[in-house]
Amino acid sequence: MAKLPKKRKIKEKRKGKKVSIIGSGHVGLVTGACLAELGNRVICVDNNVEKIATLNRGEMPIYELGLEELVKRNVRARRLFFTTSIKEGVDNSEIIFIAVNTPPKPDGGADLCYVEAVSREVAKTMESYKIIVEKSTVPVETGKWISRTVKLNNKKNINFDIVSNPEFLREGSAVYDFMHPDRIVLGVQSKKAEKIMRELYQPLNAPIIVTDIESAEIIKHASNSFLAMKISYINSIANICEKVGADINKVAHAIGCDRRIGSDFLYAGVGFGGACLPKDLQAFVGITQKLGYDFDLLKVVEKINHEQREFLVNKVRDAVWNIKDKTIGILGLAFKPNTDDMRNAPSIEIIQMLQREEAKIKAYDPVAIPAARGILKEVTYCKDSYDTANGCDALVILTEWEEFKRLDLKKIKKLMRAPIIIDGRNIFEPEKMKRLGFIYRSIGRST
Ligand SMILES: NC(=O)c1ccc[n+]([C@@H]2O[C@H](COP(=O)([O-])OP(=O)(O)OC[C@H]3O[C@@H](n4cnc5c(N)ncnc54)[C@H](O)[C@@H]3O)[C@@H](O)[C@H]2O)c1
C-alpha cells in the first residue's frame, strides 16, 4: 500500500471524513473512488491480493465508464489508498463500509459468510468509535446479525453504530449514478450516526431518506425486485405483441409516458442478468418464505426471465432451421453495455443452449471477452463485429452496445453465409432490415 499521509499533513478544502471500504469490487471501488473525489480520505480494502496489487500498479481490475480516471486522480491527490489489511483500514477510519459480495447459496438465499467474516475482523481491530455501514445488498435483519457479531468479537466493548446504506448504482453508469443518486437511504439506529452519514453525503446534494435499519434493508430488495418485475412484465407484453403483429417498442413508449409507470426498465429483450437482479430476486423470495409469506408474484418474474432466453433460441431455430453445425455469431456478451461484467449474463445461458444443439459459436464484445473466456468455452472470440459475421449462418445481438447500432449492415450482409439477424435487444428497425435484405427477428415486433 502507498504510504498514508500523516494526520497533520492532510489539507482539504472541505473537512473530509476518514473512510474505509472493505470489498473493492464493482460497488466498493466505485464508492471508494467517488467518496475520495468528494474530498474524503478513503482506504479501499480487499482480500484479493491480485486485485489490490493491480490497483496499486495503477491498473484497473474492472471496466466501468469514467472509473479509471477518477481512481487515478484521487490516488495522485493522496485521497485514495489500497490495501489487503482490514486492520489498516479500520485503524485509519471512522466510517467503515462493508461492500463484499453476497453471492447466492444453492437454495437461492444470500451467502452472508463474507459479511460475517468482515464484521468479525473489524470488531477485533476496533479501538475507537466506528460507524459500520452495510453497503452490500443483504437480507432484512442482517444489521442485527452484524451488530451481534461485532459485540461478541470486540473484547474492549468499543462503542459503534450500524448503518444500512443500500447502493442503487447501475453497472455501466456506476460513477454517474453514485454522484447523482435519486435518493440516499440511511437506515440508522442513532442520531450520531445519522449526523455523520449526512455530512459524508452532503456534497452530493441529494434527497436523504432516513429510516430504521430493517426498512432500509427492505427498500433495497423491494426496489430491485420491482425493477425485475418491470422487465418481465414488458417481456410478457412483447410476447403478446408478437402474436398479434403489434410493436412492443411503441407500446412500451406509450406505457412509459405515464408518469405513474415511467419509461425506465421497460425495454423488451432477452431478460435481465448481472450480479444483482437475479440474485436479489431469489434472495428476497427466500427471505419472505422464511418469514412465512409465499411471494408468488416474484417467482413468476423469475420464470418469465428464464423463458425469454428460451424464446430467443427458438427464434434462432425458426430462422436457421437446424441449429446443429450452424455457425452462430454472437454480438455482445456482457449483461449490459459499458461493463465487462459477465455475472448471470443472458449470453451465458443462450450460448450454452445453442452449444447443446451443436452450434459453432463465434463471439465479440467490446470489453467483456477476457471475462467471458473463463466462463464460455469452445467459443471463437473475434476481434470485431465484422470478423464475427464472417461466414456466419446467423448473427445474434445480446448486448445493446452503441457500436452495434452503427454497424455497416451492407458489409455485414456480404460477410455472412446467410443474411439472418436475431436481435435480442431491438436495436434495429424491422423495415430497414427488410429493405437491406435481411431475415430479421427481434423481440415483440413483427417482421
Ligand atoms: N454490482 C452492482 O451493480 C451492485 C449494485 C448495488 C449493490 N450491489 C451489492 O454490493 C455487494 C458487492 O457487489 P459487487 O458487485 O461489488 O461484488 P464484487 O464481487 O465485484 O466485489 C466484492 C469484493 O469483496 C471482496 N471480498 C470478499 N470477502 C472479503 C473479505 N473478507 N475481505 C476483504 N474483501 C473481501 C472480493 O474479493 C471482491 O473484490 C453485493 O452485495 C451486491 O449485491 C451490487
Side-chain angles (χ1 to χ4, degrees):
M1 175 186 173
K3 266 195 176 163
L4 285 174
K6 296 241 169 67
K7 263 187 201 168
R8 59 181 184 286
K9 285 192 183 164
I10 303 167
K11 274 190 192 164
E12 280 148 6
K13 282 176 228 141
R14 166 185 158 269
K15 195 167 175 346
K17 305 270 178 214
K18 292 177 185 171
V19 178
S20 62
I21 317 277
I22 306 181
S24 306
H26 289 79
V27 167
L29 188 56
V30 170
T31 303
C34 290
L35 288 176
E37 179 74 4
L38 298 178
N40 303 290
R41 198 199 59 194
V42 182
I43 304 172
C44 283
V45 184
D46 207 287
N47 65 354
N48 181 329
V49 177
E50 182 46 41
K51 188 174 278 189
I52 293 300
T54 303
L55 285 162
N56 275 329
R57 278 198 306 272
E59 294 164 19
M60 296 297 292
I62 53 164
Y63 176 79
E64 185 62 56
L65 208 63
L67 184 62
E68 183 166 3
E69 194 191 332
L70 203 64
V71 167
K72 286 189 169 155
R73 184 164 59 240
N74 284 284
V75 167
R76 269 199 309 272
R78 300 187 60 71
R79 285 191 298 259
L80 184 59
F81 303 87
F82 305 105
T83 179
T84 53
S85 160
I86 289 187
K87 181 171 169 27
E88 198 158 358
V90 173
D91 284 353
N92 289 287
S93 41
E94 181 182 24
I95 306 172
I96 300 158
F97 282 84
I98 303 181
V100 297
N101 37 334
T102 48
K105 290 192 291 192
D107 68 357
D111 185 344
L112 299 172
C113 285
Y114 306 130
V115 174
E116 184 185 346
V118 168
S119 311
R120 217 181 307 118
E121 202 60 31
V122 169
K124 281 185 190 158
T125 50
M126 259 169 40
E127 301 273 348
S128 58
Y129 172 77
K130 306 286 174 197
I131 295 178
I132 302 171
V133 186
E134 233 180 47
K135 192 59 149 171
S136 298
T137 301
V138 290
V140 62
E141 299 194 319
T142 301
K144 282 187 184 145
W145 281 103
I146 297 177
S147 184
R148 184 174 176 268
T149 306
V150 174
K151 276 184 195 142
L152 281 174
N153 288 279
N154 185 263
K155 304 289 177 226
K156 295 188 180 165
N157 225 359
I158 303 287
N159 191 20
F160 69 93
D161 274 308
I162 304 288
V163 170
S164 167
N165 171 218
E167 183 50 60
F168 300 99
L169 61 75
R170 295 162 300 174
E171 283 180 30
S173 54
V175 172
Y176 180 88
D177 290 349
F178 190 95
M179 292 302 212
H180 305 87
D182 292 337
R183 77 310 202 185
I184 291 163
V185 174
L186 297 176
V188 298
Q189 56 184 179
S190 84
K191 281 284 166 202
K192 180 177 179 180
E194 178 186 336
K195 180 173 175 288
I196 295 171
M197 292 302 289
R198 276 185 182 276
E199 285 166 2
L200 179 72
Y201 281 120
Q202 178 266 324
L204 289 180
N205 207 13
I208 294 184
I209 298 169
V210 177
T211 68
D212 55 281
I213 293 178
E214 286 72 25
S215 299
E217 289 169 338
I218 289 192
I219 286 167
K220 175 63 188 172
H221 269 136
S223 300
N224 271 10
S225 48
F226 191 86
L227 295 175
M229 190 175 71
K230 255 184 127 177
I231 296 171
S232 282
Y233 180 80
I234 206 64
N235 280 334
S236 295
I237 302 290
N239 295 330
I240 299 164
C241 284
E242 235 170 83
K243 289 188 192 299
V244 298
D247 182 333
I248 188 60
N249 283 11
K250 290 182 180 146
V251 172
H253 174 67
I255 298 173
C257 283
D258 186 327
R259 274 173 296 159
R260 294 169 303 177
I261 297 172
S263 56
D264 288 344
F265 280 68
L266 272 191
Y267 298 100
V270 286
F272 54 83
C276 294
L277 293 194
K279 156 180 94 63
D280 295 348
L281 192 66
Q282 264 192 1
F284 201 30
V285 169
I287 302 156
T288 52
Q289 223 146 26
K290 271 191 194 152
L291 294 171
Y293 182 73
D294 212 356
F295 214 148
D296 283 337
L297 176 65
L298 297 187
K299 290 182 193 164
V300 176
V301 169
E302 276 181 322
K303 178 174 168 281
I304 294 168
N305 197 49
H306 173 70
E307 283 169 356
Q308 274 319 99
R309 278 59 150 159
E310 288 176 348
F311 291 159
L312 195 280
V313 174
N314 289 346
K315 281 178 196 290
V316 177
R317 199 179 299 108
D318 286 349
V320 304
W321 192 13
N322 296 298
I323 288 177
K324 186 172 188 297
D325 292 333
K326 295 277 168 34
T327 302
I328 312 286
I330 305 288
L331 295 186
L333 294 164
F335 86 95
K336 64 191 286 193
N338 301 323
T339 175
D340 61 351
D341 200 340
M342 283 295 296
R343 291 177 287 183
N344 288 310
S347 65
I348 300 175
E349 231 178 307
I350 290 168
I351 289 175
Q352 287 172 344
M353 281 190 237
L354 292 169
Q355 286 178 327
R356 275 198 291 278
E357 294 193 38
E358 297 181 51
K360 295 179 190 126
I361 305 292
K362 295 176 79 178
Y364 167 70
D365 186 285
V367 298
I369 291 177
R373 279 187 201 280
I375 303 166
L376 290 160
K377 305 295 174 192
E378 313 273 314
V379 170
T380 306
Y381 292 100
C382 301
K383 68 175 192 302
D384 59 24
S385 302
Y386 303 102
D387 184 20
T388 313
N390 197 3
C392 272
D393 294 288
L395 263 188
V396 177
I397 297 161
L398 294 183
T399 316
E400 64 275 36
W401 283 94
E402 278 303 315
E403 68 171 70
F404 299 157
K405 296 178 187 169
R406 293 193 300 269
L407 285 176
D408 178 344
L409 291 167
K410 287 185 181 154
K411 184 172 167 187
I412 291 278
K413 189 167 167 243
K414 272 193 199 141
L415 288 166
M416 293 180 72
R417 197 178 293 154
I420 297 174
I421 293 190
I422 317 293
D423 182 355
R425 298 293 183 179
N426 287 358
I427 66 171
F428 298 123
E429 282 312 312
E431 275 310 312
K432 182 184 169 196
M433 298 305 280
K434 206 166 155 184
R435 267 200 318 276
L436 287 168
F438 281 100
I439 296 170
Y440 176 72
R441 302 280 181 268
S442 56
I443 309 286
R445 301 184 299 175
S446 54
T447 33

